[in-house]
Amino acid sequence: MLSSIGIPGLILILTIALVIFGPKKLPEIGKAAGDTLKEFKNSARDLTDESKEEKTEK
């Protein structure tokens, strides 16, 4: 999906985000998004580990 945007599109999106949220708010938004993705990844890993354990027990 990101490959179809291209560099000019990505710069445009970042510029619009900077105008809307301001330079002080962007790092906070980025950190929150990163923490959310990290938590999602850990949850998905836990679920796959549990399913693998159930399969090996049977």
Side-chain angles (χ1 to χ4, degrees):
M1 179 181 153
L2 207 63
S3 63
S4 64
I5 293 175
I7 299 296
L10 190 59
I11 291 172
L12 180 65
I13 291 170
L14 291 175
T15 304
I16 291 171
L18 183 62
V19 168
I20 291 173
F21 297 112
K24 291 184 180 180
K25 202 71 165 168
L26 275 182
E28 295 173 16
I29 293 171
K31 184 178 183 316
D35 290 343
T36 302
L37 288 173
K38 181 179 175 184
E39 188 65 32
F40 179 77
K41 183 179 175 183
N42 289 338
S43 297
R45 185 180 306 130
D46 289 343
L47 285 174
T48 55
D49 290 344
E50 287 176 10
S51 67
K52 286 179 183 177
E53 288 175 7
E54 289 177 2
K55 287 181 181 179
T56 57
E57 289 176 359
K58 290 183 180 181

